[in-house]
Amino acid sequence: MEDLTQEEWAEQLANDDNAVVLDVRTDAEVADGIIPNAIHIDIYKGQEFINEVEELDKAKNYYVYCRSGNRSGQACSIMEELGFENAYNLEGGMLEWTGEIVDN
């Protein structure tokens, strides 16, 4: 797992042909907007979160975010335990995000 600043995360994501964006916020938070093309899996779902994450392609690079960067850091740790090699946590989360947001 790697913590990336907003700038590092956005730049690395833009240049990654093997990238998947993962939003681990709640449904209510996602209703306020989501980063384009993100997959939404709520980390608060517990075992269901783990089950859904395990179905993802482990060969991809995952760019994970939440509201502040705390839950996404936890999600990256869980993903690492499940065998994902490349999970990148967005430091500061959506609170500091200045990139594009679309309605979900």
Side-chain angles (χ1 to χ4, degrees), residues 1-48:
M1 177 187 102
E2 196 175 342
D3 289 318
L4 299 178
T5 65
Q6 297 271 331
E7 294 77 21
E8 291 168 334
W9 198 86
E11 185 177 325
Q12 193 167 313
L13 174 60
N15 295 311
D16 190 341
D17 293 334
N18 198 32
V20 176
V21 179
L22 178 61
D23 184 327
V24 299
R25 298 176 300 154
T26 64
D27 290 340
E29 289 170 316
V30 169
D32 292 334
I34 190 168
I35 294 175
N37 304 314
I39 296 171
H40 173 231
I41 307 175
D42 183 350
I43 193 169
Y44 285 148
K45 288 182 174 175
Q47 186 61 45
E48 190 179 328

Side-chain angles (χ1 to χ4, degrees), residues 36-82:
N37 304 314
I39 296 171
H40 173 231
I41 307 175
D42 183 350
I43 193 169
Y44 285 148
K45 288 182 174 175
Q47 186 61 45
E48 190 179 328
F49 171 80
I50 292 169
N51 294 346
E52 288 186 43
V53 166
E54 281 196 302
E55 292 177 16
L56 299 173
D57 184 350
K58 290 185 173 67
K60 300 276 187 191
N61 301 322
Y62 290 87
Y63 294 81
V64 188
Y65 72 95
C66 64
R67 188 181 64 85
S68 67
N70 188 15
R71 283 173 286 168
S72 51
Q74 293 172 347
C76 287
S77 294
I78 291 168
M79 292 173 77
E80 213 166 56
E81 289 174 26
L82 295 174

